[in-house]
Amino acid sequence: EAISLGADTVCLVEHPLLVKPSIDARVAALGQVCRQRSPSVVLVSRTIPGRDIGPRVAFRLGVGMAQDCVEVKLNAVTNRVVATRPVYGGNAMATVTFADADPQVVVLRAGAYDQPERDPSRTGAVVKIDADLDPSVIRVRHIETVRGKSEGVSLENASVVVCGGRGLGGPEPFETLEELASLLGGAVGASRAATDAGWVNHSYQIGLTGTTVTPDLYITVGVSGASQHMAGCSGARHIVAVNRDADANIFKEATYGVVGDWKNVLPSLIETVREFIKS
Ligand code: FAD
């Protein structure tokens, strides 16, 4: 799979301790792969395990690490990585680079870049790496996996996200957002104000302290567009905002905006989408 997406060489570590989802074992294995292969850059996806694995591997190797990056480049002169990451609650972007030690470990937001076209005709090498993993490396014991109930498309993978905020005034309007999202084959998200109010589960939260989404279309309803919210959706290709306050910050970020009460706007939007799908 990785080769068809552009990799020339895939390092494969197989070990009984890696069968269970143990972060300790993965940290130890990746550390050993880095020692054996001496990469100059290690990119880790900012998933829940990735946020943990990146810094721990960097610490073990005694090298630098940049967490929560949205962009990564190479400086043409120094040939060192230059990474960009949001700071101060998403109010500013910091550009960071690395001292001389390799590897340069970058934890990159999932979805920060588009996946390349899959080319099944590509060929490459699969190199098996022996990892010497002792059970004593596992200090956290995995007891049980409890899967949360989820219906429909997951937020992270949705190409359309409909997000509700405090302006909805309660939990019931989220049913209308569900209707719009399902018409568009998308998922529903929420601002922190809406999840803190208990209108929807915290797993819906988008933003700095919630999920990062990069859909093609991000529709916000009753969301003001605070920087901490935008930190989780600024990678969306198109933002469509519905808000009754023409001065709301969300309109500075939106491709299209409707100034109006969602109670008037949403029904006609849903009707139009329905008509559009029929035709
Ligand atoms: P509000 O800011 O109250 O905006 C509601 C909007 O609805 C207003 O613009 C109003 O004009 C509009 N409105 C009201 N009634 C109607 C109507 N009838 N029709 C149309 N529009 C209407 N927030 C997040 O979302 N995600 C995060 O991850 C996050 N992390 C944070 C981390 C930190 C450290 C801090 C300090 C804050 C964080 N926040 C986060 C909170 C953030 O600062 C905002 O408070 C929050 O995003 C506001 O949510 P909101 O836009 O739904 O509500």
Side-chain angles (χ1 to χ4, degrees):
E1 178 74 7
I3 289 169
S4 73
L5 291 168
D8 293 323
T9 305
V10 172
C11 298
L12 178 67
V13 185
E14 287 176 306
H15 194 284
L17 291 181
L18 292 167
V19 175
K20 277 197 175 174
S22 161
I23 302 229
D24 291 331
R26 289 193 230 174
V27 167
L30 185 57
Q32 291 188 25
V33 172
C34 290
R35 287 203 177 90
Q36 290 181 37
R37 304 284 300 186
S38 309
S40 50
V41 182
V42 173
L43 298 177
V44 181
S45 177
R46 185 183 169 264
T47 53
I48 289 172
R51 275 189 243 191
D52 209 348
I53 291 169
R56 289 178 60 187
V57 168
F59 179 77
R60 283 176 189 213
L61 300 172
V63 297
M65 191 272 316
Q67 180 74 279
D68 192 21
C69 299
V70 292
E71 191 178 75
V72 59
K73 288 183 187 161
L74 269 189
N75 179 313
V77 179
T78 61
N79 216 24
R80 305 299 289 165
V81 166
V82 178
T84 306
R85 51 189 301 266
V87 288
Y88 301 120
N91 284 305
M93 302 302 274
T95 306
V96 295
T97 191
F98 289 79
D100 288 339
D102 278 349
Q104 306 161 81
V105 180
V106 178
V107 181
L108 193 59
R109 282 197 186 182
Y113 287 93
D114 284 340
Q115 185 171 294
E117 280 291 308
R118 182 177 280 108
D119 176 1
S121 68
R122 280 196 93 251
T123 53
V126 177
V127 180
K128 289 205 175 193
I129 305 245
D130 286 328
D132 181 17
L133 301 182
D134 186 273
S136 65
V137 299
I138 298 184
R139 284 168 295 174
V140 176
R141 201 156 47 90
H142 173 250
I143 299 168
E144 189 188 359
T145 302
V146 181
R147 294 204 181 278
K149 276 190 213 137
S150 68
E151 286 166 17
V153 193
S154 77
L155 257 187
E156 288 91 343
N157 300 329
S159 59
V160 177
V161 173
V162 183
C163 177
R166 192 181 347 240
L168 289 179
E172 297 80 18
F174 274 90
E175 287 169 23
T176 317
L177 298 197
E178 294 279 0
E179 190 184 343
L180 179 59
S182 81
L183 278 174
L184 295 166
V188 170
S191 72
R192 179 156 149 186
T195 57
D196 279 356
W199 299 344
V200 283
N201 188 282
H202 274 286
S203 61
Y204 282 60
Q205 187 184 315
I206 290 165
L208 188 69
T209 41
T211 302
T212 303
V213 293
T214 49
D216 291 330
L217 177 61
Y218 189 67
I219 303 176
T220 69
V221 186
V223 173
S224 60
S227 61
Q228 296 88 358
H229 182 81
M230 299 317 294
C233 62
S234 52
R237 213 157 278 191
H238 300 287
I239 297 179
V240 174
V242 180
N243 193 308
R244 68 178 177 192
D245 173 8
D247 294 324
N249 188 60
I250 191 76
F251 290 126
K252 294 193 190 125
E253 315 274 347
T255 326
Y256 301 99
V258 185
V259 179
D261 192 316
W262 63 266
K263 293 187 201 85
N264 303 326
V265 178
L266 265 195
S268 60
L269 180 60
I270 289 176
E271 205 39 53
T272 309
V273 170
R274 232 188 264 286
E275 288 299 315
F276 185 73
I277 290 170
K278 257 195 243 158
S279 65

